[in-house]
Amino acid sequence: MSALWPEPPPPTDADVAARLAVERHGHVLLMRMQRTDKRNAIDRPMTAALDAALDLLEDDPDLRCGVLTGGPDVFCAGTDVAVGPGAPTPRGGNYGVVARRRTTPLVAAVEGIAFGGGFEIVLACDVVVASTAARFGLPEVALGLVPNCGALFRGPRALPPVVARQLLLTGDPIDAGRAHGLGLVGELVEPGRAQERGLEVAERVAQRSPVAVRATLAALGRLEGDADAAGWAATDDAVARVVDSEDRAEGIAAFFAKRPPVWPGR
């Protein structure tokens, strides 16, 4: 996948540890993003923290399911556009998450916004629990960018294609109620209960045969593998078209200036 930001300096261990709270609940690993002052926007330390936690989830045979959440108010606003998310990781791809081949299930527990890369992380999970206050959106076109973490092909897989196209082309979000009705969200809960219910669902998974669960997820991954490979190639082509464009420069400048962009169209 193409890079849209230069690689920042390596993060410190303290920065990485501060980005993600990791807790064991029996056979379940709870991972909670905790950069709330930036709406859990993903920078290089966050990518490193997510990558390490998901490596643990996959490699520890005592762990049977994971829950990824952003806390009580926000899931994730996507890439930190000021500094970028750091390079893709060898096992996880962008964010350490979205290109990962997993055989341990992962539940997304969503409160508040899941925008841009945050929504793409949700699309990379196996089960989605969301509060009624959650919203999902792909605002990249408003910045002169394209989604580069899987939404171009996973969006039309998780949603009716006409709805996915509308989200991708307008950048406008949908609320959790509509997302549930369209099948993107598996369970809808009251605000503040997404993490609790996500853990309950994960514990149900953890009570099942670990061999059968891993085999099931591996089979699903193989079935989607060829489509994903084509999707990543098409995503790279789309990113290459915008990475050096004047529109991208204007979109980012307008974002930081808090003004409407004036698109050069080139």
Side-chain angles (χ1 to χ4, degrees), residues 130-136 174-185 188:
S131 87
T132 54
R135 291 185 296 149
F136 303 86
I174 59 172
D175 62 33
R178 189 174 184 212
H180 180 253
L182 292 170
L184 170 69
V185 172
L188 202 59

Side-chain angles (χ1 to χ4, degrees), residues 24-42:
R24 286 178 179 263
H25 294 252
H27 295 296
V28 175
L29 191 69
L30 173 66
M31 295 156 281
R32 184 174 58 254
M33 292 176 278
Q34 48 183 21
R35 196 186 181 210
T36 53
D37 59 320
K38 298 289 186 180
R39 300 195 300 174
N40 289 334
I42 299 176

Side-chain angles (χ1 to χ4, degrees), residues 137-162:
L138 296 163
E140 284 85 350
V141 290
L143 299 175
L145 301 170
V146 296
N148 71 325
C149 294
L152 291 179
F153 54 96
R154 287 181 179 143
R157 186 187 298 165
L159 292 164
V162 68

Side-chain angles (χ1 to χ4, degrees), residues 44-131:
R44 186 173 180 182
M46 181 77 83
T47 289
L50 288 167
D51 189 60
L54 290 169
D55 283 354
L56 173 64
L57 178 66
E58 191 67 17
D59 295 342
D60 187 335
D62 196 47
L63 292 171
R64 300 180 184 176
C65 193
V67 177
L68 180 59
T69 187
D73 300 313
V74 60
F75 183 75
C76 176
T79 294
D80 184 331
V81 297
V83 297
T89 68
R91 292 180 64 176
N94 283 355
Y95 307 150
V97 180
V98 298
R100 184 176 290 268
R101 293 293 183 91
R102 290 180 293 94
T103 58
T104 305
L106 184 59
V107 178
V110 184
E111 300 274 2
I113 65 166
F115 284 175
F119 187 12
E120 291 177 292
I121 289 175
V122 172
L123 291 170
C125 293
D126 305 297
V127 178
V128 182
V129 175
S131 87

Side-chain angles (χ1 to χ4, degrees), residues 4 139-147 238-239 241-252 261 263:
L4 288 168
E140 284 85 350
V141 290
L143 299 175
L145 301 170
V146 296
V239 171
R241 293 188 64 180
V242 304
V243 66
D244 294 321
S245 71
E246 293 180 35
D247 272 10
R248 181 202 172 214
E250 167 61 10
I252 298 295
W263 302 116

